[in-house]
Amino acid sequence: MTSPSEEDLNGRSQQRAGLQLLAIALSATVLFHGGLLPFTHGNTYDAFIHMFFGDHYHRNWFDPWEPRWYTGFATTSYPPGTHMAIGALMYLMRLRLAFAIVQLCGLILLVIGVYRFALLWVSARAAGYAAIALVLASSISETVHLFGQLPTICSLGIFLNGLPYVYRWIVLGGWKSFGASVIFVSATTAAHHVTTIFGGVLFILPIGLHALRTVAIGNPVRQWFERKTLTRFVAPLLRGGLLAVFMAGAIVLIVFPYWYWSVSDPITQVSIPHGSRESFLVRTDLGFMFFLLPWGITLLFLPYVVYKTVTTAAWPLGISVILCFILGTGGTTPIPRFLLRGAFDILTLDRFTFWATILVLPFIGLMLDGLIHGRSGNTIRAALGRGAHRLIVGGIFLSMVIIAVFAATLPALQQTQPKFIDPTPIVQFLGEDEHDRWRYLTLGFGDQFAYLSAQTEAQSVDGNYHSARRLPDMTRFSVERLENAKYLGVPGLGSLQQFLVNAETYHLKYVFSNDAFYDPLLHFSGWTRLNRLDNGVVVWEKPDISPLPLVQPRLEIPRFHALMWGVLPPVALILAAAVFLGSVVQRNFGTRLNEYRPVIEPQDGFSNPRRVRILVIVLALAALAAAAFVSVLTVRRVNEPLNAEQVIERYFKHLDFRRYREAYALLDPQTRPTFDAIMFGWRWRGGLLSSYGKLEAIQIEPVQQSDHFADWELHLDWLTSLSLLTEEKNVRTVERDGQWFIVPMELRPVQSPLRLLRDPVVDWNVAGRRQPRAETNLHRDRLDRPRIAVDGARLVRRNGRYAVVGLIANTDADPASISIFSSLKGQGEDLAMRAAGQVNGSRLLPGESAGFRIDFEGVLSLTNAEATKQFDPTRFIPPEFSHPPDAAAIEARALVNGRDLYRGIALNAVRTSLENGVLHVSGQAVNTGTETATIVSVNALLYDLDNRPVWADVGFVETNIYPGQSAPFSLELPLRDEIDVIASIESDQITTNGSGMQSSSSFQAAGLGTLPLPPATGYGAIRLNLSTMTYDPLF
Amino acid sequence: MRTFLAALALALLPSSGLADDFVADAFGLYPAGNPAGERALWSGQTELVGGNGNGSQSIAPQEPETILFFLGPKSLVAGKDTGHAVAIAIDRNGNLAEDNTAMRFVLNAEPSTTLTQHGIAGHQFLASTRTGLFFAGAATPGRQSGRAEFTVVTDLTSVMPSLKQPDETPLLPERFHDLVTANLTDDFGNTVEDGIGLQILITHQDTGTTVLPAIVRDGHASARLLTRDIEGPGTAIAYLGASASASVPLDIAKLQPAAPVNLVAELLPEIGSTRVTFGPFLTDAGFMLSDGAQVSISLSTAQSSQFSAFGWVRDGLLDATFPVDETGYPFTVTIRSSLGESRHTIVAPNSITEPDFEVIE
């Protein structure tokens, strides 16, 4: 049977059909993607990063040094094409609109590029369907609306538009085609060099083979052993070789400063973990994100692709698709690692899946064409009827639309970024009162940090482009950025702590926090909460940080590199645009046929409706049976009663994720109070663990068990911003009708002694300005630095870790905020300098004293870091010193501080005991004041038998304490024999407030105000000092 | 271009350039006869070039118009620290005042006069023995500096705290009690400033040590003690730096049981357990043991199985459930609370019982 449209298949009307489909695809692009872009780009991962780079070029086109991230980095580390396009458009419009316009242009180029690329393989109408399939591809939706990848889209769009010239050059020659090929490759490189490099293998090689086949068809031989059999390929191969040389030259030349930067300043950092390298069978969530979602419904059509690869001349393209498919599976199989070797840990492998979904489009176009107009459509119609045919075709398109819309709107369904943060108040703050003379850091901003950076000239120690990081403290850890440290567990928080504690080194003075999780770390590292801005962001300040030097170090980039960088990429883009537009006009917007290509022709004559019908019915029944089997298994598994340990685990996970109803359902229904009563208890108990902790692990140990009862001892590991803390708990489970439940836990029902507590408090106001004047730093408004004294300081070593410990006292009449630094010395040389971390005595009332400890954390060598893959405080690797440390110097300085000096906490019934080689200090922390103590830290300074400090540590009360209430605390301290004293630090090695003449170094007599310790501990006494964070708890 | 033409004209007309004297200084040349020039008003010895040959001229500063006053440290310890006041006198053209200009300093309300050298007058002074906020300034006839401030503060090293005996004795449990020091003064009798931090340590005979922060308000340091989880006799000492008060005896009341603790055992057959209700805990104070008081329980069954529980009194009672079915009876329960330790034997379930009551301690 002959279809009436068969005549059109190779004719002009088919060409017209292809163009009509292309027009539909372009319109859909503008309507669908263009319509969504203004709303979705703010929730993407990368959009703001590209905007930041765009802003850089707008501010300074020819200076490739960007000081605003990572204490400065070279923008030659990323191809500038798309960013320069944004920068140029910013002369006409605002940043976000400029980004959206460039992204939309990239999409339009990509649609046309896919059409032109598909034309090389399939008929025009099939190419038109390929273009439509692109618009509806979930991979495009994901890449644009979820990932916000601009250069990937733009560069691929440019690249695909250049491929017909490559094909034509190899088949027919012609210097115009050659020139156009080189120009398009140059422009692609300007936008994203990786596309050119991998595109050369994955896109151009198949086209080269396809071109050779075309040459063979155009120059047929009668016998295979004729001379012409080989000679006919010589010229095309030479042309291909010449093009390859020029392409390589263009890749090098256009972004030469990038290659120079790569070679001269190689990336020597621990690889950043990326979800695309994980096993998708283990991490099914990542498998969904990086494999299932981008493939979408196309995954079902892969057998068709394999079939066409085997049976048609499109096999080079099919092999490329299969190769990309395999590489895109990440760590699911060992094959990608075997193929990519060292590059496996550097590349993000989702890009291969993305390319696969583009390479596969000619096949999809061909399939859709066949389904709608061709043999397969006729077969289905004959076997199942027209209704079923429409259902199938409509179902495919509908599925594509649904998945594409789902991918594009996923951030709206599942929050991937924090809610939009208006950067204006922060920009205003940084611009006022010379606040931009210091660096800043954001926490909990997600990728909006990059957008904030683009709005201000102030500098940050953090950044959002990890390849440009050069600070050892960042590159040694597998932490992409400090901003999202909490999501990276211990390594992330370890890195963040380094920066917050040693803020002076980086001139880091301000932190903008959008996540209260970090409050404890900031507070107990000596940061002061200033105020909450209009956008809800809290500003934290580290007192006494020196401002940035007027002249900052920068990487010297040769002038001609800067010139090349500023000129060549945009010129390449402009030339490519000119060629593209010229070609469009010259070919009368595509209506003039001049391609010489042997496309895959539709196959004729297959029709056995009965067999097809039987096959479809059998397949459908098999699918139904499989679905039923899986459903039964799932239901059975869901309804299987949990054992006691599983109930406990699930209960605490529900609480951790604030799923209170679900947690309540696991409490013993016979004895549990009402939900409101239980909820009250959960709300009452806030503090470090409940409000600021994230449950990391539960260890459950049985204590006593009977048939229906079981008592358990739990060890709950909580990740807080301060450290990993273990909470000990006793829980009882009870079995009721074959199901286990948890017996509700009670809070201690102590009663606050007074209904109305009056407290005459002393408060301080340290006025920044005493007059309404613009000057920021009048001499007469400044207060003297409070006198402080360091006493009994010593350099010690414990478990191979060096530390400086001692006592710091405020001998002034004003309250002080104190910063303490120490330089480690060996044979007279300075080996390292660090600041006191959480054991700091940073806020002292006049007359008070506390212990301090300055740890000399070794910056891991790269080898060590690669071995451990993360910063793990429990797996300490000694710092590498040129000489063994034998001395240390201390610098302490103070400013008057009137904040965070709540002293309403007392310690009742403090007892010490020696258990399992550990000194335990425990008691009840009692709130005798009028404010809620959110977190209480207990600073302990341990004295030798000769009354000299030998160790200092800090512990935290796990729960909040309301006025009149109390909470238990417990400290675990090392025994004296674990600590070696290396040297005493004499007064000539101590500088306070810039002076070597210490004030009243004997202010605090060693033995006074201390608690005696059992001699078995090796210590003489312990001094306790309390510090309290009183901000509103999260609950 | 204009500059170039001017320079060219000057070069072509040398005679006009040489007609006047020029003053040479570090900033270049300027015509000596141009009184309108700002630099012509700069005082000091300047060199003349050109015109009639080399020479020099002296320009004297005018009368001081501005007096800049600096004082440091701005916070001085009474009778101990030395302060340094400096005044800089400047005329209307920014020249330092002539040497030996009399500068009158007002410090601690005691004026003194010093002569300037190179426009600067300095004066060192000993902080007064009286604490407080002081104003200071410097003046020449007709001109005064802006007001400067400095504070004189107490010498904390000379303050000896003295802790007062609380009025109430013994201190009742679960109550706030203020521990107060006597007025804190330094060697000169100055009362210390508000906000000074002290520490009070209470060493209990049986219940460890209590650490209390104390803050000075109105000359007295006070700390608030909540008598919870502590009891019995003890001693308190207040510490300020290297100074310690004499120890003060304290007694925190220890309640005694007014009657044996009542026990109710209830068998829970569906889970093979027994719930025991303890209480009320009656005290000799006339009211039940406070809510939140800790109680620990040990249970020993007829088969010698041991179980333990821990809890807090609520509304005078405490519930605990043990995996003891009817075969576990009779069993013995030992209760430990702040009222002491007692042992009870329960013979049968579902009965209110207090047989074999025995106070151990």
mmCIF file of all heavy atoms in Angstrom, chain A residues 709 732 748 760 770 779 782 784 787 846 907-908 910 924 964 966 1003 1024, chain B residues 74-75 81 149 197 199 209 211 217 224 226 228-229 241-242 273 292 321:
data_model
loop_
_atom_site.group_PDB
_atom_site.id
_atom_site.type_symbol
_atom_site.label_atom_id
_atom_site.label_comp_id
_atom_site.label_asym_id
_atom_site.label_seq_id
_atom_site.Cartn_x
_atom_site.Cartn_y
_atom_site.Cartn_z
ATOM 1 N N PHE A 709 8.739 -5.863 76.753
ATOM 2 C CA PHE A 709 9.453 -4.667 77.171
ATOM 3 C C PHE A 709 10.880 -4.707 76.652
ATOM 4 O O PHE A 709 11.461 -5.779 76.555
ATOM 5 C CB PHE A 709 9.583 -4.644 78.698
ATOM 6 C CG PHE A 709 8.601 -3.752 79.361
ATOM 7 C CD1 PHE A 709 7.719 -4.251 80.309
ATOM 8 C CD2 PHE A 709 8.584 -2.406 79.062
ATOM 9 C CE1 PHE A 709 6.837 -3.431 80.940
ATOM 10 C CE2 PHE A 709 7.689 -1.580 79.709
ATOM 11 C CZ PHE A 709 6.804 -2.092 80.645
ATOM 12 N N ARG A 732 12.673 3.335 76.570
ATOM 13 C CA ARG A 732 11.982 2.058 76.785
ATOM 14 C C ARG A 732 10.994 1.860 75.635
ATOM 15 O O ARG A 732 10.301 2.798 75.234
ATOM 16 C CB ARG A 732 11.259 2.096 78.135
ATOM 17 C CG ARG A 732 10.280 0.957 78.304
ATOM 18 C CD ARG A 732 9.820 0.843 79.727
ATOM 19 N NE ARG A 732 10.844 0.248 80.576
ATOM 20 C CZ ARG A 732 10.668 -0.015 81.865
ATOM 21 N NH1 ARG A 732 9.529 0.284 82.445
ATOM 22 N NH2 ARG A 732 11.616 -0.562 82.583
ATOM 23 N N ARG A 748 12.056 16.945 82.893
ATOM 24 C CA ARG A 748 12.134 17.126 84.347
ATOM 25 C C ARG A 748 11.191 18.251 84.757
ATOM 26 O O ARG A 748 11.330 19.393 84.298
ATOM 27 C CB ARG A 748 13.575 17.478 84.738
ATOM 28 C CG ARG A 748 13.763 17.511 86.237
ATOM 29 C CD ARG A 748 15.177 17.827 86.625
ATOM 30 N NE ARG A 748 15.292 17.865 88.070
ATOM 31 C CZ ARG A 748 16.353 18.261 88.730
ATOM 32 N NH1 ARG A 748 17.436 18.628 88.073
ATOM 33 N NH2 ARG A 748 16.373 18.274 90.052
ATOM 34 N N PRO A 760 17.904 43.451 88.626
ATOM 35 C CA PRO A 760 18.562 44.708 88.242
ATOM 36 C C PRO A 760 19.872 44.379 87.522
ATOM 37 O O PRO A 760 20.812 43.884 88.135
ATOM 38 C CB PRO A 760 18.833 45.388 89.597
ATOM 39 C CG PRO A 760 18.899 44.268 90.570
ATOM 40 C CD PRO A 760 18.085 43.133 90.039
ATOM 41 N N ARG A 770 28.991 59.305 68.481
ATOM 42 C CA ARG A 770 28.383 60.065 69.579
ATOM 43 C C ARG A 770 27.692 61.309 69.059
ATOM 44 O O ARG A 770 27.067 62.040 69.819
ATOM 45 C CB ARG A 770 29.443 60.426 70.613
ATOM 46 C CG ARG A 770 30.061 59.184 71.253
ATOM 47 C CD ARG A 770 31.312 59.541 72.013
ATOM 48 N NE ARG A 770 31.027 60.260 73.234
ATOM 49 C CZ ARG A 770 31.930 60.984 73.906
ATOM 50 N NH1 ARG A 770 33.173 61.054 73.434
ATOM 51 N NH2 ARG A 770 31.606 61.603 74.997
ATOM 52 N N HIS A 779 38.689 60.239 66.639
ATOM 53 C CA HIS A 779 39.594 59.850 67.736
ATOM 54 C C HIS A 779 38.899 59.977 69.082
ATOM 55 O O HIS A 779 39.028 59.129 69.953
ATOM 56 C CB HIS A 779 40.844 60.737 67.680
ATOM 57 C CG HIS A 779 41.779 60.494 68.823
ATOM 58 N ND1 HIS A 779 41.729 61.241 69.978
ATOM 59 C CD2 HIS A 779 42.749 59.578 68.993
ATOM 60 C CE1 HIS A 779 42.656 60.793 70.814
ATOM 61 N NE2 HIS A 779 43.294 59.796 70.229
ATOM 62 N N ARG A 782 36.670 57.078 70.165
ATOM 63 C CA ARG A 782 37.251 55.753 70.392
ATOM 64 C C ARG A 782 37.528 55.513 71.867
ATOM 65 O O ARG A 782 37.967 56.419 72.571
ATOM 66 C CB ARG A 782 38.575 55.627 69.623
ATOM 67 C CG ARG A 782 38.389 55.232 68.183
ATOM 68 C CD ARG A 782 39.734 54.969 67.562
ATOM 69 N NE ARG A 782 39.988 55.918 66.496
ATOM 70 C CZ ARG A 782 41.188 56.265 66.069
ATOM 71 N NH1 ARG A 782 42.258 55.760 66.655
ATOM 72 N NH2 ARG A 782 41.337 57.114 65.084
ATOM 73 N N ASP A 784 39.674 53.357 74.764
ATOM 74 C CA ASP A 784 40.940 52.638 74.907
ATOM 75 C C ASP A 784 40.683 51.140 74.846
ATOM 76 O O ASP A 784 39.618 50.666 75.244
ATOM 77 C CB ASP A 784 41.572 52.951 76.271
ATOM 78 C CG ASP A 784 42.308 54.273 76.254
ATOM 79 O OD1 ASP A 784 42.429 54.846 75.161
ATOM 80 O OD2 ASP A 784 42.735 54.722 77.332
ATOM 81 N N ARG A 787 42.486 46.742 79.289
ATOM 82 C CA ARG A 787 43.726 46.039 79.692
ATOM 83 C C ARG A 787 43.414 44.571 79.914
ATOM 84 O O ARG A 787 42.442 44.232 80.590
ATOM 85 C CB ARG A 787 44.254 46.630 81.000
ATOM 86 C CG ARG A 787 44.691 48.047 80.876
ATOM 87 C CD ARG A 787 44.736 48.655 82.260
ATOM 88 N NE ARG A 787 44.576 50.084 82.168
ATOM 89 C CZ ARG A 787 45.480 50.960 82.611
ATOM 90 N NH1 ARG A 787 46.566 50.532 83.203
ATOM 91 N NH2 ARG A 787 45.275 52.244 82.491
ATOM 92 N N PRO A 846 34.928 42.823 83.310
ATOM 93 C CA PRO A 846 36.109 43.240 84.053
ATOM 94 C C PRO A 846 36.278 42.378 85.303
ATOM 95 O O PRO A 846 35.305 42.093 86.002
ATOM 96 C CB PRO A 846 35.813 44.700 84.411
ATOM 97 C CG PRO A 846 34.375 44.919 84.105
ATOM 98 C CD PRO A 846 33.985 43.905 83.085
ATOM 99 N N LEU A 907 26.514 27.033 88.005
ATOM 100 C CA LEU A 907 26.677 25.576 87.958
ATOM 101 C C LEU A 907 26.467 25.023 89.366
ATOM 102 O O LEU A 907 27.230 25.355 90.279
ATOM 103 C CB LEU A 907 28.073 25.203 87.449
ATOM 104 C CG LEU A 907 28.421 25.653 86.032
ATOM 105 C CD1 LEU A 907 29.833 25.213 85.671
ATOM 106 C CD2 LEU A 907 27.432 25.089 85.022
ATOM 107 N N ASN A 908 25.439 24.231 89.530
ATOM 108 C CA ASN A 908 25.156 23.643 90.838
ATOM 109 C C ASN A 908 25.733 22.230 90.929
ATOM 110 O O ASN A 908 25.720 21.490 89.947
ATOM 111 C CB ASN A 908 23.646 23.553 91.062
ATOM 112 C CG ASN A 908 23.061 24.863 91.546
ATOM 113 O OD1 ASN A 908 23.691 25.909 91.410
ATOM 114 N ND2 ASN A 908 21.860 24.811 92.101
ATOM 115 N N VAL A 910 28.664 20.737 91.144
ATOM 116 C CA VAL A 910 29.686 20.268 90.199
ATOM 117 C C VAL A 910 30.499 19.178 90.871
ATOM 118 O O VAL A 910 31.000 19.342 91.991
ATOM 119 C CB VAL A 910 30.608 21.435 89.788
ATOM 120 C CG1 VAL A 910 31.696 20.936 88.847
ATOM 121 C CG2 VAL A 910 29.800 22.542 89.146
ATOM 122 N N GLN A 924 24.657 20.527 87.350
ATOM 123 C CA GLN A 924 23.445 21.125 86.793
ATOM 124 C C GLN A 924 23.714 22.579 86.464
ATOM 125 O O GLN A 924 24.184 23.333 87.321
ATOM 126 C CB GLN A 924 22.308 21.060 87.823
ATOM 127 C CG GLN A 924 21.741 19.682 88.077
ATOM 128 C CD GLN A 924 20.863 19.200 86.927
ATOM 129 O OE1 GLN A 924 20.219 20.010 86.260
ATOM 130 N NE2 GLN A 924 20.862 17.902 86.685
ATOM 131 N N GLY A 964 14.958 30.092 85.816
ATOM 132 C CA GLY A 964 14.457 29.271 86.910
ATOM 133 C C GLY A 964 14.554 27.784 86.632
ATOM 134 O O GLY A 964 14.268 26.975 87.514
ATOM 135 N N SER A 966 16.727 24.303 84.904
ATOM 136 C CA SER A 966 18.108 23.811 84.929
ATOM 137 C C SER A 966 18.260 22.679 83.928
ATOM 138 O O SER A 966 17.277 22.112 83.469
ATOM 139 C CB SER A 966 18.467 23.327 86.329
ATOM 140 O OG SER A 966 17.461 22.445 86.803
ATOM 141 N N PHE A 1003 47.425 39.307 87.822
ATOM 142 C CA PHE A 1003 46.097 39.728 88.289
ATOM 143 C C PHE A 1003 45.320 38.550 88.847
ATOM 144 O O PHE A 1003 44.676 38.620 89.869
ATOM 145 C CB PHE A 1003 45.332 40.368 87.133
ATOM 146 C CG PHE A 1003 43.912 40.694 87.463
ATOM 147 C CD1 PHE A 1003 43.618 41.831 88.183
ATOM 148 C CD2 PHE A 1003 42.872 39.869 87.076
ATOM 149 C CE1 PHE A 1003 42.310 42.146 88.507
ATOM 150 C CE2 PHE A 1003 41.567 40.171 87.392
ATOM 151 C CZ PHE A 1003 41.283 41.314 88.108
ATOM 152 N N LEU A 1024 36.487 27.060 86.132
ATOM 153 C CA LEU A 1024 35.336 27.036 85.228
ATOM 154 C C LEU A 1024 34.841 28.450 84.969
ATOM 155 O O LEU A 1024 34.767 29.271 85.880
ATOM 156 C CB LEU A 1024 34.199 26.204 85.830
ATOM 157 C CG LEU A 1024 34.518 24.720 86.079
ATOM 158 C CD1 LEU A 1024 33.357 24.037 86.785
ATOM 159 C CD2 LEU A 1024 34.841 24.011 84.780
ATOM 160 N N LYS B 74 42.856 57.078 77.809
ATOM 161 C CA LYS B 74 41.600 57.727 78.174
ATOM 162 C C LYS B 74 41.003 57.105 79.423
ATOM 163 O O LYS B 74 40.004 57.591 79.942
ATOM 164 C CB LYS B 74 40.600 57.606 77.021
ATOM 165 C CG LYS B 74 41.041 58.338 75.771
ATOM 166 C CD LYS B 74 40.116 57.997 74.623
ATOM 167 C CE LYS B 74 40.646 58.584 73.324
ATOM 168 N NZ LYS B 74 39.901 58.097 72.176
ATOM 169 N N SER B 75 41.540 55.983 79.830
ATOM 170 C CA SER B 75 41.078 55.334 81.057
ATOM 171 C C SER B 75 42.293 55.086 81.943
ATOM 172 O O SER B 75 43.234 54.396 81.540
ATOM 173 C CB SER B 75 40.394 54.008 80.694
ATOM 174 O OG SER B 75 40.049 53.311 81.859
ATOM 175 N N ASP B 81 48.130 55.320 87.418
ATOM 176 C CA ASP B 81 48.531 55.521 86.033
ATOM 177 C C ASP B 81 48.935 56.965 85.770
ATOM 178 O O ASP B 81 48.461 57.896 86.432
ATOM 179 C CB ASP B 81 47.385 55.159 85.087
ATOM 180 C CG ASP B 81 47.258 53.657 84.920
ATOM 181 O OD1 ASP B 81 48.170 52.943 85.369
ATOM 182 O OD2 ASP B 81 46.233 53.214 84.364
ATOM 183 N N GLU B 149 37.819 63.933 77.129
ATOM 184 C CA GLU B 149 37.327 63.257 78.331
ATOM 185 C C GLU B 149 38.261 62.116 78.697
ATOM 186 O O GLU B 149 38.869 61.511 77.825
ATOM 187 C CB GLU B 149 35.938 62.659 78.076
ATOM 188 C CG GLU B 149 34.885 63.673 77.767
ATOM 189 C CD GLU B 149 33.866 63.131 76.785
ATOM 190 O OE1 GLU B 149 33.673 61.921 76.750
ATOM 191 O OE2 GLU B 149 33.305 63.954 76.031
ATOM 192 N N GLY B 197 33.056 41.677 87.274
ATOM 193 C CA GLY B 197 32.649 40.287 87.472
ATOM 194 C C GLY B 197 33.457 39.606 88.557
ATOM 195 O O GLY B 197 34.683 39.684 88.579
ATOM 196 N N GLN B 199 33.511 35.836 91.118
ATOM 197 C CA GLN B 199 33.038 34.456 91.127
ATOM 198 C C GLN B 199 32.884 34.012 92.582
ATOM 199 O O GLN B 199 33.751 34.300 93.420
ATOM 200 C CB GLN B 199 34.034 33.559 90.418
ATOM 201 C CG GLN B 199 33.476 32.185 90.110
ATOM 202 C CD GLN B 199 34.393 31.381 89.234
ATOM 203 O OE1 GLN B 199 35.573 31.245 89.536
ATOM 204 N NE2 GLN B 199 33.882 30.850 88.152
ATOM 205 N N THR B 209 30.493 21.136 94.307
ATOM 206 C CA THR B 209 30.793 22.564 94.385
ATOM 207 C C THR B 209 29.822 23.317 93.492
ATOM 208 O O THR B 209 29.455 22.829 92.426
ATOM 209 C CB THR B 209 32.230 22.835 93.890
ATOM 210 O OG1 THR B 209 33.113 21.970 94.593
ATOM 211 C CG2 THR B 209 32.647 24.271 94.115
ATOM 212 N N VAL B 211 29.256 26.862 91.365
ATOM 213 C CA VAL B 211 29.998 27.989 90.792
ATOM 214 C C VAL B 211 28.995 29.071 90.436
ATOM 215 O O VAL B 211 28.095 28.848 89.621
ATOM 216 C CB VAL B 211 30.761 27.546 89.524
ATOM 217 C CG1 VAL B 211 31.566 28.701 88.948
ATOM 218 C CG2 VAL B 211 31.664 26.359 89.841
ATOM 219 N N ARG B 217 26.902 45.711 91.302
ATOM 220 C CA ARG B 217 25.886 46.739 91.065
ATOM 221 C C ARG B 217 25.845 47.633 92.294
ATOM 222 O O ARG B 217 25.756 47.132 93.420
ATOM 223 C CB ARG B 217 24.503 46.104 90.865
ATOM 224 C CG ARG B 217 24.267 45.523 89.501
ATOM 225 C CD ARG B 217 22.871 44.946 89.407
ATOM 226 N NE ARG B 217 22.768 43.727 90.184
ATOM 227 C CZ ARG B 217 22.776 42.508 89.655
ATOM 228 N NH1 ARG B 217 22.887 42.349 88.355
ATOM 229 N NH2 ARG B 217 22.670 41.451 90.422
ATOM 230 N N ARG B 224 23.026 35.205 92.385
ATOM 231 C CA ARG B 224 21.762 34.581 92.770
ATOM 232 C C ARG B 224 21.952 33.064 92.763
ATOM 233 O O ARG B 224 22.379 32.477 91.769
ATOM 234 C CB ARG B 224 20.663 34.989 91.801
ATOM 235 C CG ARG B 224 19.312 34.481 92.203
ATOM 236 C CD ARG B 224 18.227 35.086 91.349
ATOM 237 N NE ARG B 224 18.005 36.474 91.689
ATOM 238 C CZ ARG B 224 17.556 37.378 90.826
ATOM 239 N NH1 ARG B 224 17.326 37.045 89.591
ATOM 240 N NH2 ARG B 224 17.355 38.615 91.197
ATOM 241 N N LEU B 226 20.229 29.362 93.209
ATOM 242 C CA LEU B 226 19.002 28.567 93.227
ATOM 243 C C LEU B 226 19.332 27.253 93.923
ATOM 244 O O LEU B 226 20.153 26.470 93.424
ATOM 245 C CB LEU B 226 18.499 28.324 91.799
ATOM 246 C CG LEU B 226 17.284 27.414 91.639
ATOM 247 C CD1 LEU B 226 16.102 27.904 92.471
ATOM 248 C CD2 LEU B 226 16.866 27.331 90.180
ATOM 249 N N ARG B 228 18.945 24.078 94.269
ATOM 250 C CA ARG B 228 18.380 22.886 93.619
ATOM 251 C C ARG B 228 19.505 21.864 93.478
ATOM 252 O O ARG B 228 20.608 22.207 93.035
ATOM 253 C CB ARG B 228 17.808 23.264 92.252
ATOM 254 C CG ARG B 228 17.245 22.086 91.479
ATOM 255 C CD ARG B 228 16.680 22.527 90.147
ATOM 256 N NE ARG B 228 15.548 23.420 90.340
ATOM 257 C CZ ARG B 228 15.092 24.270 89.409
ATOM 258 N NH1 ARG B 228 15.693 24.335 88.238
ATOM 259 N NH2 ARG B 228 14.058 25.043 89.648
ATOM 260 N N ASP B 229 19.240 20.656 93.821
ATOM 261 C CA ASP B 229 20.212 19.549 93.738
ATOM 262 C C ASP B 229 21.412 19.766 94.650
ATOM 263 O O ASP B 229 22.459 19.137 94.447
ATOM 264 C CB ASP B 229 20.702 19.333 92.292
ATOM 265 C CG ASP B 229 19.564 19.027 91.340
ATOM 266 O OD1 ASP B 229 18.568 18.436 91.793
ATOM 267 O OD2 ASP B 229 19.673 19.374 90.147
ATOM 268 N N GLY B 241 39.861 38.458 90.879
ATOM 269 C CA GLY B 241 41.264 38.392 90.510
ATOM 270 C C GLY B 241 42.043 37.604 91.524
ATOM 271 O O GLY B 241 41.717 36.465 91.839
ATOM 272 N N ALA B 242 43.088 38.218 92.046
ATOM 273 C CA ALA B 242 43.944 37.519 93.006
ATOM 274 C C ALA B 242 43.471 37.698 94.441
ATOM 275 O O ALA B 242 44.169 37.338 95.377
ATOM 276 C CB ALA B 242 45.374 38.032 92.864
ATOM 277 N N SER B 273 3.548 -6.825 82.942
ATOM 278 C CA SER B 273 4.361 -5.867 83.693
ATOM 279 C C SER B 273 3.614 -5.363 84.908
ATOM 280 O O SER B 273 2.413 -5.569 85.064
ATOM 281 C CB SER B 273 4.717 -4.672 82.811
ATOM 282 O OG SER B 273 5.248 -5.120 81.617
ATOM 283 N N GLY B 292 10.152 17.715 90.347
ATOM 284 C CA GLY B 292 11.473 17.695 89.713
ATOM 285 C C GLY B 292 12.534 17.074 90.583
ATOM 286 O O GLY B 292 13.662 16.881 90.114
ATOM 287 N N THR B 321 7.267 1.636 85.480
ATOM 288 C CA THR B 321 6.756 0.330 85.058
ATOM 289 C C THR B 321 7.928 -0.633 84.927
ATOM 290 O O THR B 321 8.953 -0.283 84.319
ATOM 291 C CB THR B 321 6.008 0.456 83.714
ATOM 292 O OG1 THR B 321 5.018 1.461 83.854
ATOM 293 C CG2 THR B 321 5.355 -0.849 83.325
#
